[in-house]
Amino acid sequence: MTASPEGFRSGIRGHHNVLVRPTGECRQLARLVSLNVGMPQDVAWQGRTVRTGIWKTPVSGPRMVHRFNVAGDGQGDLGGHGGEQRAVLVYQLDSYRHWQRALSRQEIEYGLFGENFTVEGLGDDQVCIGDRYRVGEAQFEVTQPRVTCFRVGMRTGEPRMAALMVAAHRPGFYLRVITEGHVQAGDEIVRTQRGRHALSVAALDALLYLPDRDTALLRQSLDEPALSPGWRRSFTELLAAAEAGPTGGPEVVQGPGWAGFRPLRVTRRAAETADVTSFHLQAPDASRLPIPRPGQYLTLRLPGAGDPPPVRSYSLSGAACPDTYRISVKREPRGLVSAYLHTAIQVGSIIDVAAPRGEFVLGDEIGPVLLVSAGIGLTPVLAMLHHLAAVPHPGKVWWIHVTRDARSHAFAQEAMTALARLPESHCAVFHTAIFHTAGDPQAGAVPGVVRGRPTRESLARLGIPADASAYLCGPASFMADLHGLLVESGLAGSRIHTELFGARAPINPGVVGARALAPHQPAGAVGQGPPVTFARSGLTVAWDDRWATLLELAEGADVPTRWACRSGVCHTCLTPVLSGDFDYDLAPLEAPGPGQVLLCCARPRTALVIDL
């Protein structure tokens, strides 16, 4: 079945439907006003199909409430809704009345906000995490505020609804089922237990989504045993970031060293293999450069390579140095930019470069470290190896590299020299096709080369401990395979960090049946506004006012996107800005840091380059 968003209605059909009219009455007794259920369905939305269970309708008579949901109810996206911690969604009659006034809507159907229980009483500023309630035969515990994703905007016909609910401190909340049993509209709701710290739903919702967080409240929230695991993880990360201070910890991305692009001069070229060339870059005035974190990359803008000027990113491959950066570029068979760099860029050439950035960076581990790469993917982990060797790292270090043969093995001797400086290092190099050529300059540079690809057995022989921190870089299929092998070998997935060349995997919750297409110019007339360059996708598109936001522009060009609320709340669409200015059509509830933009509510003001 396919439904269409209808939003608030002026008329209600069906004998089970209940109208809510603003009367100003407020009874003190908490009770279940309406019991609402609905199974997931496919909804047509903005040219896509979304699988969602937000369409709920009132039912009469008793219904059994089970551990995971109400009988006859279901959720379309179990990653964000449903399950044991979110079995029942609650929304209040008072909040319905608030939205009637705020949005000038006179009549609203129960279940419009996707809730199972429409209740009188139980305000978000009064109900606390850990509170327990008896309704009919069943007992429940409050686990978390509602996550206000984009689907509530679909259902109500108000795209800003997720942000409006958070700003008004009216999110609603989820219940865990303590005792299964029958409930029905009209049942009294009785609180049987207060949460340990009496932390209200409204306060916890603001703690996650709004600025000026109270560190003490974060600590207190983590001491509430009823808090759901998902929100506990979020608060743990927020507390760690707050306690790390302004410089940040190992998982905090440092700000860029300069805004936009600046000219750097090529001071040296070096052929590492037949198809890999390194470029050494310095400031034209020989001034000091910000020292990058090991694993970061540079973004280059190259007007001579095309019109509009293409933008590409390359990992820094050398040891940290205050006056020189090194990138190493593989010439791809059909690579426009890599061919231009190899043929046109010489010593003395000036290149526009954005500051080092990237989240794939070496942490401050003192324990065992595993560095894994394939092909040209060795560049960021080579920078990590140089850092470990310079310290030197006190723990064990494993270096695993996969390449075709000795001829294609870049930096073999350089890596061996760095490994020799470490107190305890282990090396395994895999050649997928071995040719013994007398004139090969790399032949014999690496002892103990293994024929073939890494396997579970070959990794087991290396003796990598389960508490190692692993860093992987290479083609997507390689990283997926190695990630699986490492997990099978005992490493926790949370300790495995990866860097993927090109666009990141999309996050489009609930969207089904979408085809993955290569980024392209949008259909229709060419825009006349500022050019927007998607750096990871290698595409520049002229802005047109038919797009409401940068997110919609990216979607029109099939650039992989990440989003959830689409209204400036969740920060899933947070994207680094390499250069240019933008404006917010709808101000986000919490503004991102410098050099970042929320795509779901921003429009370009000038030519813009974003890391997408």
Side-chain angles (χ1 to χ4, degrees), residues 382 385-386 388-390 392 399 409 411-423 425 427 445-447:
L382 180 61
L385 178 61
H386 277 297
L388 294 171
W399 170 264
H409 190 168
F411 304 108
Q413 189 57 58
E414 184 175 320
M416 293 303 105
T417 300
L419 287 167
R421 296 168 58 190
L422 289 163
S425 63
C427 174
V446 181

Side-chain angles (χ1 to χ4, degrees), residues 130-133 139-143 174-176 178 193 226:
D131 284 0
R132 291 192 174 189
Y133 293 93
Q139 294 192 62
F140 305 89
E141 182 177 61
V142 180
T143 59
Y174 278 110
L175 298 174
R176 181 168 69 94
I178 302 297
Q193 175 181 302

Side-chain angles (χ1 to χ4, degrees), residues 483 492-497:
H483 188 284
S494 60
R495 303 189 70 87
I496 303 174
H497 312 279

